[in-house]
Every structure is written in structure tokens, then in C-alpha cells.
Amino acid sequence: MPELNSKVYMIERASWRDLLALSALEKACFERDAWPLLDVMGVLTFLSVVRMRAMGDGELIGFIAGDPNKEKKTAWILTLGVLPDWRRMGIAETLLRMCEEEMHMPLVKLTVRRSNAAAIRLYEKFGYTQVDIWPKYYRGGEDGLVLAKEMTWV
Ligand SMILES: CC(C)(COP(=O)(O)OP(=O)(O)OC[C@H]1O[C@@H](n2cnc3c(N)ncnc32)[C@H](O)[C@@H]1OP(=O)(O)O)[C@@H](O)C(=O)NCCC(=O)NCCS
């Protein structure tokens, strides 16, 4: 019998109830860059933040948060992560697309470690381009690349 290379998942809105699961996902995805619990709580409760979770096998397997600023007409993707066992199935793409749509801003920006080839490929595939470098932005002294995408909403 052929092996299935994709699994069933659902995208839903996330809430403060995801606190512990999201904290665990952050550690699995970001290791030394993982947010402390207080930041995880913030991203799950700040009113302006758009947050979505991917659920598979009844567990939190992916998460995205974005912060749209109406005055600046710019949104920042704050975090995006998918658990290792669920990668390369299009979950990050789905989360990113849905977050962009929900924020509905003319410009979306984010930062990524210079060495994070997988994430950079994902963002480039989505039309993000590098607009800045923040030297030594990340723990350990690695540069942060600032990527941006102008959105065309019809
Ligand atoms: C980056 C990350 C979110 C991608 O999640 P994912 O669900 O596996 O991504 P998708 O399956 O939606 O992949 C979409 C595209 O991204 C690119 N991509 C994703 N992972 C890749 C990898 N390991 N190598 C190369 N390209 C990759 C590919 O272009 C892929 O399209 P394709 O499968 O048609 O080639 C995931 O690897 C992750 O959580 N990494 C750790 C946390 C992190 O780095 N987050 C981003 C911080 S800015």
C-alpha cells in the first residue's frame, strides 16, 4: 500500500486556551529563540493580534500571529511555526495566506534569521523580498533579514 505523504489538519482561530500547547510548540520550533511564557500569553491575548492555529490529531501543530497597524498601514508577522513531523505539507503556506487575508494590510513585514533557509524559501515563494538587514538582531549575534510584501487587495 502506498504511504500517505499528507495528513489531515484544520486551521482555526487560536485563543488563550492554547497557552501551554503554544509554549511547547515555540520551544520545538525555535529552541533558543523561543518566546518566554509571558510573550506567548501576550500574543494570545492582545486585542489587535491576528492568531491562527493548525490542529492535527487533536494537537496544536502549527501557529501564526500577525499584528496589523492601521495607522502605519503595515502588519508584522510576529511568529510562524509548524512542528517537525508536520512540515512540508503546506501548513505554513496555509497559515500565512489566511493571516495575510485576515489582517488585510497594504504592506506585510517580518524578520527572519539570515541562516533560516527553509523560512526564507517559504517567504520568497510567497512574494516577500528583502528590504533591510538588522545586524546582530538575534540571540548569538546573527543578523535578521527584514522581508516585506506589498499586498494587492481587489
Ligand atoms: C519554516 C516553517 C514554518 C515551514 O513550515 P512548513 O509547514 O513545513 O512549510 P510549507 O510546507 O508550507 O512549505 C511551503 C514552502 O516553503 C519552502 N520550504 C519549507 N520548508 C523548506 C525546507 N526545509 N527547505 C526548503 N524549502 C522549504 C518551500 O518552498 C515550500 O514549498 P514546496 O514544499 O512546494 O517546495 C517550518 O519549517 C518551521 O516551523 N520552522 C521553524 C520555525 C521557523 O523558522 N519559523 C519561521 C521564523 S521567521
Side-chain angles (χ1 to χ4, degrees), residues 29-30 80-82 87-93 111-112 116 118-119 121-123 125:
C29 287
F30 293 103
L80 169 61
V82 174
R87 288 181 187 163
R88 297 312 288 268
M89 297 177 198
I91 296 175
E93 277 195 40
T111 56
V112 59
N116 193 343
R121 278 281 288 278
L122 162 70
Y123 297 131
K125 184 177 176 185

